Structure formats: structure tokens, C-alpha cells
Amino acid sequence: MRLIRSLLRNPRILAFLDQVSFSLGNFVVLMAFARGFSPVEFAGYGIGFAVAILLQSVYRIAFVVPMALVPEATFAAERRGYAGQHVLIVGGLLAASALAWLATLALPVPPLAVASAIAAFSILSSFLPQDFERTFLLRTGHQAQALLASLAFLALTLVSAGLVALHAAPFTGIMLLFWLFGVVRTALAIRRAPGADLARGRALIEASVRAGSASWNMLGTVASSGFTHIPLFILSFFAPAINVAAFTAVRAPMQPMQIVVRSLDLVDKVVFGRIDPDDRVARHRHLRRTYLLYLAVGLIGAILIGAFAGPLISLMFGTKYAGFEGTMRLWGAMFVLISSALPLETAILSAGHYRGYALMQCAGGALAVVVAFPLSHYQFDFGAVLACLIGWSLTYAMLATRVYLIIARNEDREHPIG
């Protein structure tokens, strides 16, 4: 028992258990929805998911990562302000998504647009706050609460999967259930502030925008949607609903792994932020170790997915998405880049190169959008994912080169020649 209690006090182990629970729940959701909902509903879920994940990525890079990297004293002084910032941003986005959903009900739009709007409304509540709340609870000493929230999410997904399998709840009802869960979880996390300071939260947002870090980070993340989400939207203009749904469905094995890696990366960013900025040797050692770890995780995942793509699709979806093995293998290759880029991101943002990183993402996103049109038109889902891979590869190459030059320059200062 003493060993178990000791392990459960380890932030990495808690983060891993948290992520395994949440990722398993997400995996259950994808399988249940792919099997139980119509192609239009599941395609709408995929588009709504893409919108939510894009906004989550913007929020993560612009506000969550800077909060993870600040020294302990700074976080303690601004804890209530960070909570207020979270309430303002999440509340504003949820209100906007609610208006968008209501608009689709009032306007003559296709069923796919309605399904996408309700999915975005739901997933913004359950996914958007994840990274902030995990980091916030870690820094306030309540990381176990994040684990309990993920266990509750897993239980919710199992109940929802049963309801979908029994045709006991409609698509909209299931989406509202997940929306309610997200609202309750956020309210419980914010209580750890204690008392969200909305005025200070607004001041923090304004300060980040004035300093340029948030603006450049948001620009870069929005631009990166060119190699993460926009090809899906382009695909929806050219391909049948089944191909649009397949774009999301065969990505299912990567989603849990990606969530785990991204959240463990936030723990590593907090650890990095606690290292003395003048101790470049310790910082570089931490970056090299985490880069090799995430690269290895990405390669192992891609190899397993490549070798067992057919059986995985059959196990998860039956015959519904048979024949999309090539698309799944491309997602495996994407997972390698997405995972191993996270420590590179830590290095370049801690060095203050916000503008340079944003411009790299703009270049990769623009390339992906340009090639997505012909590739999606002729190759459907395979072409859309290939466009994502091409754009990501360009950004990754530029990012790795810039980080290498930063580290080499810092090492030269530590060990000058002559």
C-alpha cells in the first residue's frame, strides 16, 4: 500500500493514468459512434471534433503552455487570474457555439451542417478545457481530481455507448450529455483557485495579446489547421459522406495516443519551467530526453498501426470502413510528427521565437491547403490525409532546424572556442 500511495503521488504516473482513462473513453466513443450513428451524423461529429480540437490547440498554445512554463512564484501570484481567464475564454466560445447551433436550426442548411454544429457545441465543452484544467490542477496540487474527472468521463462514454447500441438515445441527446459533463467538470476545477478573478483574467488576456506571444501563437495554431483540419473541410466538398466519415474513423487509434502524449507533454513543460533558465545544460538534457522518448512512442505507434491496419479496422468498425487501411497508415505517419514535435515546441517557445514558429506553421498550412484540393478531388480521404502529411512535414523540418540552431548557439556560449 505504501508503494501504491507513493506512485500515486508521482505527477507523471497520475498524468499517465489520467490520460489512459480519458483516451480509453474517447476510443470507446469513436467506436460506438462510428457503429451506431449514420454516416451523416458521424461525419458531422468528425467535423465538429475538428473545429473543437482546432480551438483547443489555439487555446493550448496561446495560454495553457505559457501558464505551464512560468515559475512557481508567478503561478501562485496569478492563480485566481488564470482561473478567471479560463472562465472568460471557455464561456465565450461555448456561447458562440450555442448561437451557431441555433442558427443551423433556424436556417435551411443540410443535415451535415446541423450535425456538425451540435457536435462542435458538445465537444467544445468536453474537450476544449482539458489541457488547461489538467495543468491548473497539477500546479495547484490537485492532480488527483483530474484523474477522477477522466474516470468519470470513461464511465460516461460506456453508458453512452450502451445507449447508442440500444438505439435508446438520439444523436442530439448524446451530444447534450457530453456538453453537461464538460460544464460540471470545469466548474469543479475552477473551485481550486479559489474564486476566479475575472478582472485579472481579462488583464492577463490583454497583456498576452499586447506582448505579442498570444497573437503569434494563435496565428500559428490557426494556420496549422491547414495541415490538421482544413483538408477535412475541403474533402467534404468533393467526397461522399462515407469518405468524410472515414477520415475521422480510421484516425481513432491515434486519437487516444495523441491525447496521452499531449497531456504528458504539459507535465514535461511544467518540469522544464521549473529548471533554472541559466542552467542551459539541464534544459538541453531535458529537451533531448523528451524528444527521443516521444519520437520512440510515435515510431512504435506508427509501426503497429501500419502492420495491423486491416485487423484494427475490422475489430473497431466491422466492415463499415473496410478498404481504408491506406488512410489509417498515413495517420500513423502523422502521429510520428505530431508526437515528436512537442519537445521542439517547448524549445522554440521557451526561447521566445513566437513569430518564427507561427510563420513556419503558416508555410506548412498554406502548402497543405493548396495540395488538398487536387488530392482530395482525386484521392478522397487518402488524398486529404496526404495533404496533411505534406504540410506537417514542411513545418516539422523548419522547426527541427531552428531548434538545432538555438541549442547549438547556446552550447557555443557555454563552451566558447579559444
Side-chain angles (χ1 to χ4, degrees), residues 17 44 55 90 95 175 187 192 203 284 398 402:
L17 294 175
L55 293 174
V90 173
M175 292 296 99
R192 298 299 186 181
H284 295 169
M398 292 190 292
R402 178 69 67 88

Side-chain angles (χ1 to χ4, degrees), residues 52-351:
I53 293 300
L54 169 60
L55 293 174
Q56 183 199 44
S57 298
V58 172
Y59 186 29
R60 175 184 180 276
I61 196 68
F63 297 102
V64 179
V65 170
M67 183 184 72
L69 292 173
V70 297
E72 205 66 33
T74 302
F75 176 81
E78 297 288 6
R79 182 171 63 172
R80 294 178 65 245
Y82 284 129
Q85 171 185 279
H86 186 57
V87 171
L88 290 171
I89 294 174
V90 173
L93 288 174
L94 287 181
S97 66
L99 291 175
W101 176 33
L102 292 175
T104 64
L105 298 178
L107 299 173
V109 297
L112 179 59
V114 179
S116 301
I118 178 58
F121 172 72
S122 171
I123 300 169
L124 276 172
S125 174
S126 55
F127 275 78
L128 176 70
Q130 278 290 321
D131 287 338
F132 175 90
E133 289 167 16
R134 285 197 176 99
T135 307
F136 187 78
L137 291 170
L138 169 62
R139 301 213 69 163
T140 56
H142 297 94
Q143 195 178 4
Q145 181 176 324
L147 173 58
L148 292 175
S150 290
L151 290 172
F153 177 78
L154 174 58
L156 174 64
T157 61
L158 293 172
V159 171
S160 299
L163 292 174
V164 171
L166 295 172
H167 302 287
F171 177 76
T172 300
I174 295 293
M175 292 296 99
L176 289 175
L177 190 60
F178 279 90
W179 174 85
L180 179 61
F181 169 82
V183 170
V184 172
R185 189 197 57 214
T186 294
L188 293 175
I190 291 303
R191 288 183 60 198
R192 298 299 186 181
D197 187 337
L198 298 182
R200 184 56 189 161
R202 179 181 175 183
L204 286 174
I205 295 172
E206 292 174 348
S208 296
V209 172
R210 282 197 305 270
S213 58
S215 302
W216 282 112
N217 286 340
M218 286 190 285
L219 172 63
T221 307
V222 170
S224 73
S225 65
F227 52 73
T228 52
H229 303 302
I230 291 180
L232 171 61
F233 306 145
I234 295 173
L235 175 67
S236 66
F237 290 108
F238 295 112
I242 187 66
N243 295 89
V244 181
F247 181 101
T248 299
V250 299
R251 184 171 50 180
M254 275 66 69
Q255 293 284 14
M257 294 188 294
Q258 187 176 339
I259 291 170
V260 169
V261 170
R262 279 167 58 94
S263 293
L264 290 176
D265 170 67
L266 284 174
V267 176
D268 284 320
K269 282 177 165 56
V270 171
V271 173
F272 183 84
R274 289 170 175 166
I275 300 173
D276 183 354
D278 294 327
D279 191 349
R280 292 194 180 105
V281 173
R283 286 195 153 204
H284 295 169
R285 183 169 57 245
H286 176 83
L287 290 172
R288 289 191 182 97
R289 183 173 63 249
T290 52
Y291 175 77
L292 292 175
L293 173 62
Y294 293 150
L295 179 62
V297 169
L299 288 172
I300 291 171
I303 291 169
L304 290 175
I305 288 166
F308 301 104
L312 280 172
I313 289 177
S314 178
L315 175 65
M316 292 186 297
F317 312 116
T319 59
K320 195 170 188 178
Y321 295 102
F324 292 100
E325 292 84 359
T327 304
M328 177 179 276
R329 292 187 177 100
L330 280 183
W331 277 123
M334 282 279 290
F335 179 63
V336 178
L337 299 181
I338 292 170
S339 302
S340 58
L342 293 171
L344 301 178
E345 174 189 271
T346 300
I348 200 163
L349 293 181
S350 65

